[in-house]
Amino acid sequence: MTTDSPTPDTGAELLPIATPARTRAALRTLIRPDRGLALTGLGILVGATVVGLLVQPLLGRIVDIVADGRPAGDLTLPVVLLVAVAVVQGLTTMLGLTRIARLGETVLARLRERFVERALNLPADRLERAGAGDLTARVTGDVARVAEAVRSALPEMARSVLAILLTLGALALLDVRFLLAALLAVPVQLLTARWYVRRALTLYADQRVANGAQQQQLLETIGGAVTVRGHRLEEQHTERSAGRSRKAVDFTMRSVNLVLGFYGRLHIAEYIGLAAVLIAGFWLVRDGAVSIGTATAAALYFHSLFGPVNAALVLLDDAQSAAAGLARLVGVTDLAEQPEPEAGKPEAGKPTAGKPEVGKAEAGKAEAGKAAPASVPRQRIASSEAAVTVHAVSHAYGPGRPVLHEVSLTLEPGEHVALVGTSGAGKSTLARIVAGVQQPTSGTVTSPGGGGSAPAGAGEHPVVLVTQEVHVFTGTLAEDLRLARPDATDADLRAALATVHALDWAEALPDGLGTVVGEGGHRIDPARAQQLALARLVLADPALAVLDEATAEAGSAGARVLERSAEAALDGRTALVVAHRLTQAVAADRVVVLEAGRVVESGPHDELRDADGPYAALWRAWSGSRTAAPHP
């Protein structure tokens, strides 16, 4: 279960935050596979703590030997035992903490993997409503908080709790009255912890939200710097960024004041407890109930509690901050989590596992080896069954923001359909829905298979989406291409590059397919990056390909080259192409015109051009601009 997170003054609908109960349940699920490691580490730490508790009685024994005026030789055994205790405790503590740390790192890695997996599957419209800053803050700041807690707080908390419980037991063994005296500090400590926890959880959650809003503002300002300068909005954006930074700083200072008050109350508890133990020791020694050495051991036991008690309570600070971060991470995983489909029935409207999106979110693995080699052009598929059927699909990005209205569309096997329309007509939304990366508000997208209808992308081959926002991953060019088909040979890679007319420039790179590209590597311009995306499409070898303005980044000079690359990559496949240029519509088998989220025309280019309808108007406007500014 999740709750909506507070919405800052950005107007964004932030991603949800999991409830405390759901967060605890998710944590148990993460730890469950490593229960054996957890129990082993805990057992070793218990042994190390028990051994360490022998220090105080041995020191008390030394005090009694000195107080009784015994020979110096009597000190040999206690001193040797102290050395042995130190060595054994050190080794066992190291071993136990190592196992607990390994547990923490394993759980953290599992959490990161699950978060990334679920975040990549979030509906695009949901991410757009939340804004990039909220997700960025969670994947950076919140993950860092949880990681810090796992690496430092978890081992220290385990050791501290064990030390507290076993030390209190040792005090009771010396004399139960020492335990009662020590427990006088507990009410103050419990009240301090309660006072802190009630304030910390909300404060840290609000602090994370404020940091997310701050990052969102910085991303918007920096990303739109050209527009900001062009409209002379520098002062407004600077003030807006400063305002959100001030809010983040204000939350930080409130958390500092909270921690200072927390420490102050803990010191009062320490003074009360130590004074009570010393007074109890004085009376018990005076009455002859215990020896000076025993009273010394009791005082040392209580003094040794300062570290673990303070550490455990202070770690509440890290625990609360980490809990707030974990709740935000679990909120994302729960939001993306979908019910498991029945056996043999893929989830409606979504690609099955292993079907990649090549373009804006290209990471993933494609099915391989099920079709003809990439270098061999396919013949157009002939079938009486529809490849894809879009039935009464509607979509809205929130209440009162409809984008598509009852759209129905059929793509025959091997057919190339161009989707055209003015900006905001809903073309990209429909393309993402057909590709299965976004769910419609209502309606279905199906393809034939298994005696009935199955979701698009659930057939033998994957559905691949290529958008104009292409990412070149850091690594060699070959590794970047193999994201689509990990088992592809170098010959397969060259064949795919040759298909999209990119082999010449790829082999001309300093190290050919071994050239490092991406961040910090050889720079690939937008047109060539788009050719890499199309080459990945060829390697993935889908039956259905969706191109969303995939040639838009080329500019006028490279437009025809990219269009030729796209035509070659789509040869023999069913394709839905959001046309950036109407030359793509001319080459398509059929043109579908969208206006205000509705299909208003559908047919071949020549027929629509001569019909004097919306497409004809678009064609006249576009061809007129070509005449005014001829293609270079």
Side-chain angles (χ1 to χ4, degrees):
M1 181 178 179
T2 58
T3 59
D4 292 333
S5 57
T7 302
D9 55 3
T10 61
E13 181 186 336
L14 298 186
L15 297 168
I17 298 174
T19 62
R22 176 65 194 119
T23 303
R24 289 192 295 270
L27 187 58
R28 288 193 296 270
T29 301
L30 290 169
I31 294 175
R32 189 173 295 122
D34 298 292
R35 285 176 294 182
L37 183 60
L39 293 174
T40 303
L42 189 62
I44 295 173
L45 283 180
V46 169
T49 305
V50 170
V51 171
L53 291 177
L54 297 175
V55 171
Q56 287 82 358
L58 289 172
L59 290 175
R61 179 64 175 166
I62 291 173
V63 170
D64 283 338
I65 291 172
V66 174
D68 293 343
R70 299 178 190 176
D74 290 353
L75 295 174
T76 302
L77 181 59
V79 171
V80 170
L81 290 176
L82 280 174
V83 174
V85 166
V87 172
V88 173
Q89 184 188 25
L91 292 175
T92 52
T93 299
M94 179 181 67
L95 182 59
L97 290 179
T98 298
R99 289 185 173 273
I100 294 296
R102 183 181 300 172
L103 170 68
E105 290 295 336
T106 303
V107 171
L108 179 61
R110 191 173 292 126
L111 172 65
R112 281 173 167 162
E113 291 170 0
R114 184 168 299 181
F115 178 84
V116 171
E117 176 188 355
R118 299 290 171 77
L120 289 175
N121 288 321
L122 283 176
D125 55 321
R126 187 65 184 87
L127 283 177
E128 290 171 1
R129 294 201 304 272
D134 187 32
L135 187 62
T136 301
R138 297 188 191 218
V139 81
T140 54
D142 292 325
V143 169
R145 290 279 182 175
V146 175
E148 182 181 355
V150 164
R151 289 169 181 154
S152 58
L154 177 62
E156 186 61 31
M157 176 68 83
R159 188 172 64 167
S160 296
V161 170
L162 288 173
I164 292 168
L165 295 176
L166 294 176
T167 300
L168 291 176
L171 277 171
L173 288 176
L174 291 179
D175 192 296
V176 71
R177 286 167 287 190
F178 284 127
L179 174 61
L180 295 175
L183 291 179
L184 290 177
V186 172
V188 179
Q189 292 168 335
L190 290 179
L191 288 173
T192 298
R194 182 172 179 269
W195 172 84
Y196 175 77
V197 169
R198 291 177 63 183
R199 289 162 175 78
L201 189 58
T202 302
L203 177 59
Y204 285 123
D206 291 344
Q207 186 179 12
R208 299 271 74 75
V209 171
N211 288 338
Q214 181 190 29
Q215 290 194 35
Q216 177 68 27
Q217 181 60 48
L218 291 174
L219 287 171
E220 290 177 352
T221 300
I222 295 172
V226 174
T227 303
V228 170
R229 288 195 296 268
H231 290 276
R232 300 186 180 278
L233 298 174
E234 296 94 336
E235 186 174 340
Q236 296 178 27
H237 275 256
T238 299
E239 180 56 36
R240 198 175 299 166
S241 297
R244 289 176 183 156
S245 295
R246 283 193 295 269
K247 179 174 288 189
V249 170
D250 177 62
F251 278 115
T252 300
M253 294 308 301
R254 286 170 59 185
S255 67
V256 169
N257 291 330
L258 182 66
V259 171
L260 290 176
F262 179 65
Y263 279 118
R265 287 165 170 79
L266 286 185
H267 292 326
I268 294 173
E270 290 173 358
Y271 297 148
I272 291 174
L274 184 57
V277 170
L278 290 174
I279 292 172
F282 171 78
W283 286 104
L284 291 172
V285 170
R286 193 185 70 168
D287 293 343
V290 299
S291 68
I292 295 175
T294 301
T296 301
L300 290 174
Y301 269 138
F302 186 81
H303 188 271
S304 71
L305 282 175
F306 285 8
V309 169
N310 286 347
L313 293 178
V314 167
L315 285 174
L316 285 174
D317 180 63
D318 292 334
Q320 292 302 311
S321 181
L326 182 61
R328 284 160 55 81
L329 296 177
V330 173
V332 172
T333 63
D334 283 354
L335 180 66
E337 192 169 20
Q338 300 294 333
E340 292 293 329
E342 296 180 17
K345 293 184 179 181
E347 192 176 345
K350 290 190 72 175
T352 57
K355 307 302 189 285
E357 174 191 351
V358 180
K360 188 174 182 180
E362 295 150 294
K365 296 182 179 179
E367 294 183 1
K370 294 185 177 179
S375 57
V376 180
R378 297 184 184 182
Q379 298 299 315
R380 286 295 172 88
I381 303 168
S383 172
S384 60
E385 287 188 292
V388 179
T389 301
V390 179
H391 178 67
V393 163
S394 297
H395 189 71
Y397 292 109
R401 298 172 57 194
V403 178
L404 298 176
H405 306 271
E406 298 287 328
V407 173
S408 294
L409 176 67
T410 298
L411 280 72
E412 300 295 337
E415 184 182 25
H416 289 186
V417 174
L419 203 58
V420 303
T422 58
S423 179
K427 303 185 298 297
S428 292
T429 299
L430 180 58
R432 289 200 296 266
I433 290 174
V434 170
V437 299
Q438 184 167 311
Q439 300 302 297
T441 303
S442 63
T444 59
V445 180
T446 58
S447 63
S453 292
E460 182 182 0
H461 301 297
V463 177
V464 171
L465 170 68
V466 181
T467 75
Q468 63 178 322
E469 301 173 16
V470 176
H471 183 70
V472 178
F473 291 88
T474 301
T476 66
L477 183 63
E479 290 170 342
D480 195 286
L481 290 168
R482 285 195 177 98
L483 288 169
R485 201 173 107 197
D487 64 347
T489 65
D490 285 353
D492 294 329
L493 303 185
R494 289 189 174 89
L497 289 169
T499 299
V500 299
H501 311 293
L503 183 58
D504 289 342
W505 66 257
E507 291 188 327
L509 293 175
D511 297 311
L513 294 179
T515 302
V516 175
V517 295
E519 188 71 27
H522 187 88
R523 183 182 177 276
I524 302 294
D525 64 48
R528 290 180 174 180
Q530 199 70 55
Q531 284 182 308
L532 290 183
L534 292 171
R536 285 195 287 266
L537 184 152
V538 172
L539 288 166
D541 200 17
L544 173 63
V546 179
L547 271 58
D548 184 5
E549 297 191 348
T551 62
E553 293 295 327
S556 298
R560 185 54 194 155
V561 173
L562 262 189
E563 286 175 9
R564 286 178 55 231
S565 298
E567 289 171 6
L570 296 178
D571 186 45
R573 314 179 199 282
T574 306
L576 179 65
V577 179
V578 177
H580 179 69
R581 296 174 176 84
L582 290 190
T583 49
Q584 296 170 292
V586 174
D589 299 315
R590 182 158 52 99
V591 179
V592 173
V593 184
L594 279 184
E595 272 191 8
R598 291 181 171 85
V599 175
V600 294
E601 276 189 310
S602 178
H605 160 76
D606 292 338
E607 178 182 311
L608 297 184
R609 181 194 58 192
D610 298 336
D612 200 27
Y615 180 77
L618 288 173
W619 176 258
R620 285 193 297 270
W622 185 83
S623 57
S625 67
R626 299 301 93 184
T627 302
H631 197 290

